Amino acid sequence: MKNKQRLFSSLELAALLLLPLLLLACAVCELPQKALWMFLGAILACVPFLLSFEYRKPTAPQLMPLIILSAVAAVGRILFAATPNFKPVTAVVILAGATLGRSQGFLCGALAALASNLFFGQGAWTPWQMFAWGLIGYLSGVLTKAGWLRGRASAALWGFTACCLYGLILDSWTIIGFISPLTPAAALTAYGAGVPFTLIHAFSTVLFLFLLYRPWRRILRRILRKYDLT
């Protein structure tokens, strides 16, 4: 049992590391059909987390916190559809990682992206949104376990950083996959065009974390302890 858990943990970590390496390889080597390779790579990066969760065979009560937070993140994104990039998704995903752990934090981000895109539209960007938000949830679990996300200030700082990471991942996928020839000037121009959107995303995430992080985390932790869902 423990050996299999360690195996799945290793596969999860490998998936998180190999996808950035694939991005770098596509950028440096100018691989043919690089957009397709990156699309497939993003899908495969999510598979170990799904297999790991399936292997644990969670009960219905254990599934509920993950399902509810994923639904809240997806619905929150839809409710704020009129304000592009000003959305609570990243804040909810951070909260999920901080309370449920790194693996379920990843799944919350991935499921929120997949579910909300049933409204916004599925496309080649969906696996990358799943990976980017999933990575934020995963790292939130890691940081919480290390004792770094205890209050609003640390959560807000991580929220701002996480939004920059999200923007970097999505911008890199677009730039490397669809700009040809890829030159430093073209890449810098494209990254610069994404900065205002990233800042709006970061501002909204910090705001939602200041409002929600402590009360929601306290409630969720109480529920997890009361019903032994840890």
PDB file of all heavy atoms in Angstrom, residues 72-90:
ATOM      1  N   VAL A  72     -17.705  25.276  -6.553  1.00  0.00           N
ATOM      2  CA  VAL A  72     -17.675  26.695  -6.188  1.00  0.00           C
ATOM      3  C   VAL A  72     -16.718  27.459  -7.098  1.00  0.00           C
ATOM      4  O   VAL A  72     -17.024  28.572  -7.565  1.00  0.00           O
ATOM      5  CB  VAL A  72     -17.262  26.852  -4.710  1.00  0.00           C
ATOM      6  CG1 VAL A  72     -16.940  28.310  -4.382  1.00  0.00           C
ATOM      7  CG2 VAL A  72     -18.370  26.351  -3.801  1.00  0.00           C
ATOM      8  N   ALA A  73     -15.547  26.878  -7.365  1.00  0.00           N
ATOM      9  CA  ALA A  73     -14.576  27.527  -8.241  1.00  0.00           C
ATOM     10  C   ALA A  73     -15.134  27.679  -9.655  1.00  0.00           C
ATOM     11  O   ALA A  73     -15.007  28.742 -10.279  1.00  0.00           O
ATOM     12  CB  ALA A  73     -13.277  26.726  -8.275  1.00  0.00           C
ATOM     13  N   ALA A  74     -15.769  26.615 -10.173  1.00  0.00           N
ATOM     14  CA  ALA A  74     -16.317  26.665 -11.530  1.00  0.00           C
ATOM     15  C   ALA A  74     -17.463  27.663 -11.630  1.00  0.00           C
ATOM     16  O   ALA A  74     -17.527  28.480 -12.557  1.00  0.00           O
ATOM     17  CB  ALA A  74     -16.779  25.273 -11.956  1.00  0.00           C
ATOM     18  N   VAL A  75     -18.384  27.615 -10.670  1.00  0.00           N
ATOM     19  CA  VAL A  75     -19.526  28.531 -10.686  1.00  0.00           C
ATOM     20  C   VAL A  75     -19.064  29.973 -10.484  1.00  0.00           C
ATOM     21  O   VAL A  75     -19.583  30.898 -11.109  1.00  0.00           O
ATOM     22  CB  VAL A  75     -20.560  28.125  -9.610  1.00  0.00           C
ATOM     23  CG1 VAL A  75     -21.645  29.184  -9.483  1.00  0.00           C
ATOM     24  CG2 VAL A  75     -21.174  26.778  -9.956  1.00  0.00           C
ATOM     25  N   GLY A  76     -18.073  30.153  -9.607  1.00  0.00           N
ATOM     26  CA  GLY A  76     -17.540  31.495  -9.401  1.00  0.00           C
ATOM     27  C   GLY A  76     -16.958  32.077 -10.668  1.00  0.00           C
ATOM     28  O   GLY A  76     -17.127  33.272 -10.958  1.00  0.00           O
ATOM     29  N   ARG A  77     -16.301  31.244 -11.443  1.00  0.00           N
ATOM     30  CA  ARG A  77     -15.751  31.718 -12.724  1.00  0.00           C
ATOM     31  C   ARG A  77     -16.866  32.113 -13.680  1.00  0.00           C
ATOM     32  O   ARG A  77     -16.760  33.118 -14.391  1.00  0.00           O
ATOM     33  CB  ARG A  77     -14.889  30.614 -13.340  1.00  0.00           C
ATOM     34  CG  ARG A  77     -14.131  31.062 -14.582  1.00  0.00           C
ATOM     35  CD  ARG A  77     -13.345  29.917 -15.190  1.00  0.00           C
ATOM     36  NE  ARG A  77     -12.648  30.352 -16.400  1.00  0.00           N
ATOM     37  CZ  ARG A  77     -12.248  29.547 -17.366  1.00  0.00           C
ATOM     38  NH1 ARG A  77     -12.466  28.235 -17.256  1.00  0.00           N
ATOM     39  NH2 ARG A  77     -11.631  30.022 -18.427  1.00  0.00           N
ATOM     40  N   ILE A  78     -17.935  31.341 -13.695  1.00  0.00           N
ATOM     41  CA  ILE A  78     -19.056  31.638 -14.591  1.00  0.00           C
ATOM     42  C   ILE A  78     -19.788  32.905 -14.140  1.00  0.00           C
ATOM     43  O   ILE A  78     -20.155  33.756 -14.960  1.00  0.00           O
ATOM     44  CB  ILE A  78     -20.016  30.434 -14.632  1.00  0.00           C
ATOM     45  CG1 ILE A  78     -19.311  29.236 -15.291  1.00  0.00           C
ATOM     46  CG2 ILE A  78     -21.282  30.783 -15.407  1.00  0.00           C
ATOM     47  CD1 ILE A  78     -20.087  27.938 -15.187  1.00  0.00           C
ATOM     48  N   LEU A  79     -19.992  33.061 -12.830  1.00  0.00           N
ATOM     49  CA  LEU A  79     -20.710  34.231 -12.328  1.00  0.00           C
ATOM     50  C   LEU A  79     -19.979  35.532 -12.637  1.00  0.00           C
ATOM     51  O   LEU A  79     -20.605  36.583 -12.822  1.00  0.00           O
ATOM     52  CB  LEU A  79     -20.921  34.105 -10.811  1.00  0.00           C
ATOM     53  CG  LEU A  79     -21.927  33.051 -10.360  1.00  0.00           C
ATOM     54  CD1 LEU A  79     -21.972  32.978  -8.843  1.00  0.00           C
ATOM     55  CD2 LEU A  79     -23.315  33.350 -10.917  1.00  0.00           C
ATOM     56  N   PHE A  80     -18.651  35.461 -12.704  1.00  0.00           N
ATOM     57  CA  PHE A  80     -17.856  36.648 -13.000  1.00  0.00           C
ATOM     58  C   PHE A  80     -17.439  36.683 -14.471  1.00  0.00           C
ATOM     59  O   PHE A  80     -16.423  37.293 -14.825  1.00  0.00           O
ATOM     60  CB  PHE A  80     -16.617  36.697 -12.106  1.00  0.00           C
ATOM     61  CG  PHE A  80     -16.905  37.114 -10.694  1.00  0.00           C
ATOM     62  CD1 PHE A  80     -17.356  36.193  -9.760  1.00  0.00           C
ATOM     63  CD2 PHE A  80     -16.741  38.435 -10.299  1.00  0.00           C
ATOM     64  CE1 PHE A  80     -17.625  36.568  -8.456  1.00  0.00           C
ATOM     65  CE2 PHE A  80     -17.005  38.827  -8.998  1.00  0.00           C
ATOM     66  CZ  PHE A  80     -17.458  37.887  -8.069  1.00  0.00           C
ATOM     67  N   ALA A  81     -18.231  36.054 -15.318  1.00  0.00           N
ATOM     68  CA  ALA A  81     -17.901  36.009 -16.749  1.00  0.00           C
ATOM     69  C   ALA A  81     -17.837  37.398 -17.368  1.00  0.00           C
ATOM     70  O   ALA A  81     -17.093  37.626 -18.333  1.00  0.00           O
ATOM     71  CB  ALA A  81     -18.927  35.152 -17.494  1.00  0.00           C
ATOM     72  N   ALA A  82     -18.624  38.338 -16.835  1.00  0.00           N
ATOM     73  CA  ALA A  82     -18.649  39.695 -17.398  1.00  0.00           C
ATOM     74  C   ALA A  82     -17.390  40.486 -17.074  1.00  0.00           C
ATOM     75  O   ALA A  82     -17.168  41.551 -17.655  1.00  0.00           O
ATOM     76  CB  ALA A  82     -19.872  40.445 -16.887  1.00  0.00           C
ATOM     77  N   THR A  83     -16.581  39.995 -16.150  1.00  0.00           N
ATOM     78  CA  THR A  83     -15.347  40.703 -15.768  1.00  0.00           C
ATOM     79  C   THR A  83     -14.152  39.791 -16.038  1.00  0.00           C
ATOM     80  O   THR A  83     -13.723  39.052 -15.154  1.00  0.00           O
ATOM     81  CB  THR A  83     -15.383  41.094 -14.286  1.00  0.00           C
ATOM     82  OG1 THR A  83     -15.658  39.912 -13.503  1.00  0.00           O
ATOM     83  CG2 THR A  83     -16.471  42.124 -14.032  1.00  0.00           C
ATOM     84  N   PRO A  84     -13.630  39.811 -17.263  1.00  0.00           N
ATOM     85  CA  PRO A  84     -12.523  38.912 -17.619  1.00  0.00           C
ATOM     86  C   PRO A  84     -11.346  39.034 -16.655  1.00  0.00           C
ATOM     87  O   PRO A  84     -10.949  40.142 -16.287  1.00  0.00           O
ATOM     88  CB  PRO A  84     -12.134  39.380 -19.030  1.00  0.00           C
ATOM     89  CG  PRO A  84     -13.363  40.044 -19.558  1.00  0.00           C
ATOM     90  CD  PRO A  84     -14.023  40.681 -18.375  1.00  0.00           C
ATOM     91  N   ASN A  85     -10.854  37.895 -16.235  1.00  0.00           N
ATOM     92  CA  ASN A  85      -9.692  37.774 -15.347  1.00  0.00           C
ATOM     93  C   ASN A  85      -9.971  38.174 -13.899  1.00  0.00           C
ATOM     94  O   ASN A  85      -9.151  37.911 -13.028  1.00  0.00           O
ATOM     95  CB  ASN A  85      -8.488  38.574 -15.874  1.00  0.00           C
ATOM     96  CG  ASN A  85      -7.945  38.022 -17.173  1.00  0.00           C
ATOM     97  OD1 ASN A  85      -8.399  38.401 -18.240  1.00  0.00           O
ATOM     98  ND2 ASN A  85      -6.999  37.114 -17.094  1.00  0.00           N
ATOM     99  N   PHE A  86     -11.100  38.811 -13.629  1.00  0.00           N
ATOM    100  CA  PHE A  86     -11.465  39.124 -12.243  1.00  0.00           C
ATOM    101  C   PHE A  86     -12.386  38.009 -11.755  1.00  0.00           C
ATOM    102  O   PHE A  86     -13.610  38.098 -11.876  1.00  0.00           O
ATOM    103  CB  PHE A  86     -12.166  40.490 -12.166  1.00  0.00           C
ATOM    104  CG  PHE A  86     -12.331  41.001 -10.763  1.00  0.00           C
ATOM    105  CD1 PHE A  86     -11.417  41.892 -10.223  1.00  0.00           C
ATOM    106  CD2 PHE A  86     -13.387  40.570  -9.971  1.00  0.00           C
ATOM    107  CE1 PHE A  86     -11.563  42.356  -8.921  1.00  0.00           C
ATOM    108  CE2 PHE A  86     -13.552  41.022  -8.671  1.00  0.00           C
ATOM    109  CZ  PHE A  86     -12.639  41.923  -8.142  1.00  0.00           C
ATOM    110  N   LYS A  87     -11.772  36.952 -11.195  1.00  0.00           N
ATOM    111  CA  LYS A  87     -12.533  35.755 -10.847  1.00  0.00           C
ATOM    112  C   LYS A  87     -11.962  35.133  -9.573  1.00  0.00           C
ATOM    113  O   LYS A  87     -10.786  35.301  -9.267  1.00  0.00           O
ATOM    114  CB  LYS A  87     -12.485  34.744 -11.992  1.00  0.00           C
ATOM    115  CG  LYS A  87     -13.008  35.316 -13.317  1.00  0.00           C
ATOM    116  CD  LYS A  87     -13.003  34.287 -14.414  1.00  0.00           C
ATOM    117  CE  LYS A  87     -13.332  34.932 -15.762  1.00  0.00           C
ATOM    118  NZ  LYS A  87     -14.622  35.612 -15.785  1.00  0.00           N
ATOM    119  N   PRO A  88     -12.799  34.380  -8.846  1.00  0.00           N
ATOM    120  CA  PRO A  88     -12.353  33.779  -7.579  1.00  0.00           C
ATOM    121  C   PRO A  88     -11.725  32.398  -7.718  1.00  0.00           C
ATOM    122  O   PRO A  88     -11.426  31.762  -6.709  1.00  0.00           O
ATOM    123  CB  PRO A  88     -13.654  33.693  -6.785  1.00  0.00           C
ATOM    124  CG  PRO A  88     -14.703  33.438  -7.830  1.00  0.00           C
ATOM    125  CD  PRO A  88     -14.243  34.201  -9.059  1.00  0.00           C
ATOM    126  N   VAL A  89     -11.527  31.925  -8.943  1.00  0.00           N
ATOM    127  CA  VAL A  89     -11.107  30.528  -9.135  1.00  0.00           C
ATOM    128  C   VAL A  89      -9.800  30.224  -8.419  1.00  0.00           C
ATOM    129  O   VAL A  89      -9.703  29.251  -7.657  1.00  0.00           O
ATOM    130  CB  VAL A  89     -10.972  30.203 -10.634  1.00  0.00           C
ATOM    131  CG1 VAL A  89     -10.642  28.729 -10.821  1.00  0.00           C
ATOM    132  CG2 VAL A  89     -12.231  30.562 -11.378  1.00  0.00           C
ATOM    133  N   THR A  90      -8.794  31.049  -8.644  1.00  0.00           N
ATOM    134  CA  THR A  90      -7.481  30.769  -8.057  1.00  0.00           C
ATOM    135  C   THR A  90      -7.535  30.794  -6.543  1.00  0.00           C
ATOM    136  O   THR A  90      -6.895  29.972  -5.872  1.00  0.00           O
ATOM    137  CB  THR A  90      -6.455  31.789  -8.579  1.00  0.00           C
ATOM    138  OG1 THR A  90      -6.425  31.748 -10.012  1.00  0.00           O
ATOM    139  CG2 THR A  90      -5.065  31.470  -8.060  1.00  0.00           C
TER     140      THR A  90
END
